[in-house]
Structure formats: C-alpha cells, structure tokens
C-alpha cells in the first residue's frame, strides 16, 4: 500500500477479533458496530480509502523524521495521538481491508469498563496537549453521559422537558435494541449482554472523558498514577 500510494505516510487494516469466552465474543460484536464505536473504520470495516487513524499501522521512515516519535507520556491513545500528528504533518493515512491483524478482546465487562474509561480520560490529555479536539466522534459519549446525569432535572423545570428527556433515552435504548436484533444473537441472554456492553462502552468512555476534563482542565493536574495502570 505504501508503495502504491506515495502520499500515504501510514497504512493499516482491519482488526480481526479473537475471543476467549462468551463475554469477549459479545464485546467484539459491540466494538465492531457503528453504534458501538462510531466511524472507527479499522474496527467496523469498510472500503479502502483515507481515514483519520488505524490500529497497528506501518509507517514510512520520513514520518518519524518529520512528526517525531510516539509520546511516551501517554499510557493510552498513543497510536491515535501519533496518527493525528501524522495527518497534521501533511501525510495521509490509508486503510486497506486486505490488511488484517488479530486483536485479543477483553473477556469481562469490568475489564472493558476500565479500558474505555482510560480511553476517554487520556483522550482529554491528548486534546489539551494539542489544543484541539482530535476527532468529533470522541465527543458523543461525554455529551451522552452529561445528558443522562443532568437531563433528569428538566422534569423540575417543565413536564414537557421531562418527556423529552425520556424520549431521547428511549431512542438510545431503541437503537441499541435494533442494532442487537440485526446481529441475530443466539439467545435472549446474549441479547441482553450485548445491550449491556453498548451501555458500558459509551458510559465508561464518557465518564472517563468528563473525569479528564475535571482533572486536566479544571484542576490543571498531570495524569494520575492509577490511570497509568494497564487494564489487561
């Protein structure tokens, strides 16, 4: 791919999920859906073309000469942050579905929560470093969590606002159920676990992101030692 596209500084492909138990199989389904992870094409698949980031990319040597190296201060989002600099440095990132890599999915909902909580938390640290929001899809989970945590107070203002709050929550649950139904889960229990996984994906990332805003912007602190621990 790098030989065929001289404008491309990084080439990557699709993640092929490897399961260790039923939970990891269900989690991989959620992480492979647009509803679960947005337009992260290296997880959801798609046609060949330019993207904003890939996992486990191959880079030209001149990318490191122009953009620097991976930021060792980051415990999470190292590749995502580096790929942002690659694009800012004038290179393209190209995804080719013919390129495959194996990814070992976490085997419990608690490990998934910790993983995505860290993703959200460290994303804010990256944003502060670059004084920019590196991708718009990262804003959806924190806005959703903020809406969940504060929207119920609208009932105190006006009954119609309360109904609007319930309508939006119902829309979210409906989309989650629709997505799960299209995946044709083998049992009602698996269907319920997939719904739970969607909620954990979005809530943990969003809560971690909001925690990062408080930690890095409002309090002006450095990353906590606890947040640097791996969640495997």
């Amino acid at each position: 791919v790098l030989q065929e596209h001289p404008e491309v500084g990084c080439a990557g492909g699709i993640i092929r999920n490897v399961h260790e138990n039923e939970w990891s199989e269900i989690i991989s389904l959620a992480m492979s859906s647009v509803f679960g992870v947005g337009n992260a094409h290296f997880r959801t698949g798609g046609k060949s073309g330019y993207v904003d980031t890939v996992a486990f990319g191959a880079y030209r040597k001149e990318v490191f000469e122009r953009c620097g190296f991976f930021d060792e201060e980051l415990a999470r989002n190292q590749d995502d942050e580096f790929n942002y600099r690659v694009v800012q440095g004038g290179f393209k990132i190209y995804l080719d579905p013919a390129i495959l890599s194996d990814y070992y999915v976490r085997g419990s909902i608690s490990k998934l929560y910790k993983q995505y909580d860290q993703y959200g938390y460290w994303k804010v640290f990256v944003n502060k470093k670059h004084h920019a929001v590196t991708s718009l899809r990262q804003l959806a989970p924190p806005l959703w969590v903020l809406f969940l945590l504060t929207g119920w107070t609208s009932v105190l203002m006006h009954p119609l606002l309360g109904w609007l709050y319930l309508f939006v929550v119902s829309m979210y649950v409906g989309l989650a159920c629709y997505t799960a139904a299209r995946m044709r889960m083998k049992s009602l229990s698996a269907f319920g676990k997939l719904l739970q996984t969607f909620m954990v994906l979005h809530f943990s990332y969003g809560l971690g992101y909001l925690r990062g805003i408080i930690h890095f912007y409002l309090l002006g602190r450095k990353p906590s030692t606890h947040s640097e621990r791996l969640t495997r």
Side-chain angles (χ1 to χ4, degrees):
V1 170
L2 292 175
Q3 289 175 343
E4 293 173 357
H5 299 274
E7 78 284 2
V8 170
C10 169
I14 303 297
I15 281 178
R16 182 170 50 192
N17 292 319
V18 180
H19 317 133
E20 64 179 57
N21 55 29
E22 184 189 19
W23 263 117
S24 63
E25 185 176 357
I26 290 172
I27 290 170
S28 71
L29 288 174
M31 292 173 66
S32 300
S33 70
V34 174
F35 181 76
V37 296
N39 64 339
H41 297 294
F42 64 90
R43 290 192 182 277
T44 61
K47 298 180 180 179
S48 299
Y50 300 132
V51 292
D52 59 353
T53 190
V54 292
F56 321 126
Y59 300 86
R60 298 184 190 277
K61 181 180 179 181
E62 52 263 39
V63 167
F64 299 100
E65 294 171 345
R66 186 188 303 180
C67 304
F69 300 99
F70 280 74
D71 189 340
E72 296 184 40
E73 193 175 9
L74 302 177
R76 290 286 183 205
N77 301 331
Q78 304 96 326
D79 53 351
D80 191 51
E81 186 273 340
F82 184 68
N83 288 338
Y84 175 77
R85 281 189 279 134
V86 170
V87 174
Q88 294 299 304
F91 294 99
K92 299 286 188 180
I93 298 176
Y94 197 88
L95 182 140
D96 187 338
I99 303 170
L100 297 173
S101 58
D102 289 339
Y103 175 81
Y104 290 81
V105 182
R106 283 161 176 75
S108 73
I109 203 74
S110 61
K111 289 182 179 179
L112 178 70
Y113 184 96
K114 293 175 183 177
Q115 176 189 9
Y116 271 76
D117 175 75
Q118 284 189 337
Y119 281 168
Y121 177 83
W122 284 95
K123 179 66 76 172
V124 181
F125 188 59
V126 171
N127 293 346
K128 187 176 182 182
K129 276 196 165 192
H130 291 285
H131 307 288
V133 174
T134 54
S135 64
L136 290 178
R137 67 172 174 267
Q138 70 186 258
L139 298 179
L143 289 175
W144 171 242
V145 171
L146 198 61
F147 174 79
L148 286 178
L149 296 179
T150 62
W152 64 271
T153 59
S154 61
V155 179
L156 304 176
M157 302 176 188
H158 197 283
L160 287 178
L161 293 177
W163 283 111
L164 179 62
Y165 175 75
L166 290 176
F167 173 76
V168 174
V169 173
S170 299
M171 285 291 294
Y172 174 87
V173 175
L175 282 171
C177 290
Y178 173 75
T179 304
R182 291 190 64 185
M183 293 180 174
R184 299 178 181 178
M185 305 306 294
K186 58 186 178 183
S187 67
L188 188 60
S189 173
F191 184 89
K193 287 179 179 178
L194 182 57
L195 294 182
Q196 184 182 354
T197 302
F198 283 139
M199 294 174 187
V200 168
L201 274 175
H202 300 152
F203 193 82
S204 59
Y205 188 102
L207 203 61
Y209 198 99
L210 294 175
R211 188 164 55 88
I213 290 176
I214 295 172
H215 203 121
F216 301 126
Y217 281 99
L218 299 183
L219 301 180
R221 295 177 180 174
K222 287 287 186 179
S224 65
T225 304
H226 176 74
S227 67
E228 295 176 350
R229 298 173 186 168
L230 294 180
T231 58
R232 282 288 178 184

